[in-house]
């Protein structure tokens, strides 16, 4: 679905410079896509609390680039978008149980590949790194063996470390923000 949404919209926008309303934009959907959408009063979209500037809560309401993007897609397909704000691990479980339609920003993992249909559209590229003091003498991931790392529950880094580096002790939190706080408090 999403591949068509973005490609269709971009091509049409390039051809027609006088676009007045997103409601005028329609996306060509397959029969199975139409059938899926016909059975739903709205689309449920996972919403994060602290993924600024893409997806975050502002005064208790979902906000950010991705939120606006999903609202635009909703207009283009004639569906309301209902945002569901929960901790990341709960959003993944809702998606697995088919109680949530979409989670933006979902990194591909072997576990998720069992229950997720991914799009080919890349909205965000991740660049992950660590900041450490020079006195720690860390040169590879093997040097983290006896050091506790703070990671958000079921984020792709958590899954990767758990599977590929089980010797590294992990402090599992509900969000990246909580992980950063744990590091600042010397708990990890």
């Amino acid at each position: 679905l999403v591949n068509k949404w973005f490609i269709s919209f971009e091509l049409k926008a390039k051809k027609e410079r006088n676009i007045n309303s997103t409601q005028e934009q329609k996306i060509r959907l397959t029969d199975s896509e139409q059938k899926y959408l016909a059975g739903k009063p709205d689309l449920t979209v996972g919403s994060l609390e602290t993924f600024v500037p893409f997806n975050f809560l502002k005064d208790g309401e979902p906000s950010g680039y991705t939120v606006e993007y999903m609202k635009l897609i909703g207009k283009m397909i004639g569906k309301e978008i209902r945002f569901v704000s929960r901790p990341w691990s709960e959003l993944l479980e809702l998606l697995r149980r088919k109680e949530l339609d979409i989670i933006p920003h979902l990194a591909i993992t072997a576990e998720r590949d069992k229950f997720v249909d991914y799009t080919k559209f890349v909205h965000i590229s991740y660049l992950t790194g660590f900041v450490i003091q020079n006195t720690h003498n860390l040169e590879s991931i093997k040097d983290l063996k006896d050091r506790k790392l703070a990671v958000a529950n079921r984020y792709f880094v958590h899954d990767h470390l758990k599977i590929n580096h089980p010797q590294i002790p992990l402090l599992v939190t509900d969000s990246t923000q909580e992980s950063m706080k744990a590091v600042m408090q010397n708990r990890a």
Side-chain angles (χ1 to χ4, degrees):
L1 279 174
V2 175
N3 289 336
K4 291 181 180 184
W5 297 346
F6 300 111
I7 292 168
S8 172
F9 183 66
E10 281 181 18
L11 292 176
K12 192 168 186 179
K14 286 178 183 175
K15 289 179 183 175
E16 301 173 14
R17 295 293 178 199
N18 297 329
I19 298 172
N20 295 325
S21 168
T22 58
Q23 292 177 340
E24 295 172 9
Q25 302 303 310
K26 294 295 177 195
I27 298 169
R28 292 185 196 127
L29 301 172
T30 66
D31 290 342
S32 64
E33 291 165 341
Q34 289 176 24
K35 183 178 177 182
Y36 178 81
L37 292 172
K40 304 189 120 324
D42 54 26
L43 285 178
T44 54
V45 176
S47 180
L48 302 174
E49 295 182 9
T50 58
F51 194 46
V52 177
F54 302 101
N55 188 219
F56 57 96
L57 292 182
K58 182 178 180 181
D59 300 323
E61 293 295 319
S63 190
Y65 300 139
T66 302
V67 171
E68 296 306 314
Y69 211 59
M70 292 308 305
K71 288 178 181 178
L72 175 65
I73 296 301
K75 287 180 182 179
M76 293 172 70
I77 62 172
K79 289 290 178 185
E80 288 293 319
I81 301 295
R82 184 169 49 91
F83 294 96
V84 177
S85 295
R86 300 264 171 75
W88 183 255
S89 59
E90 289 181 33
L91 291 175
L92 280 175
E93 183 58 25
L94 289 172
L95 187 66
R96 188 188 65 73
R97 292 191 320 240
K98 301 186 186 305
E99 296 173 19
L100 188 67
D101 296 305
I102 300 168
I103 296 181
H105 324 296
L106 190 63
I108 298 170
T109 68
E111 176 194 351
R112 295 172 188 169
D113 201 33
K114 295 174 186 171
F115 62 92
V116 173
D117 289 326
Y118 293 98
T119 67
K120 293 178 184 167
F121 177 76
V122 177
H123 178 149
I124 299 172
S125 294
Y126 291 95
L127 178 61
T128 304
F130 299 92
V131 177
I132 57 172
Q133 296 175 346
N134 287 341
T135 57
H136 287 297
N137 298 321
L138 298 175
E139 294 184 21
S140 77
I141 197 157
K142 293 175 185 173
D143 297 329
L144 296 173
K145 179 181 171 209
D146 296 320
R147 299 179 189 264
K148 186 182 289 186
L149 296 182
V151 295
N153 191 22
R154 298 195 62 198
Y155 276 36
F156 71 98
V157 171
H158 174 221
D159 292 340
H160 175 80
L161 291 171
K162 187 172 61 172
I163 292 166
N164 298 300
H165 303 281
Q167 73 282 5
I168 298 174
L170 302 176
L171 172 64
V172 181
T173 66
D174 283 334
S175 69
T176 301
Q177 186 175 8
E178 285 185 31
S179 293
M180 301 281 289
K181 188 176 180 180
V183 171
M184 290 188 294
Q185 295 171 342
N186 290 321
R187 293 187 291 131

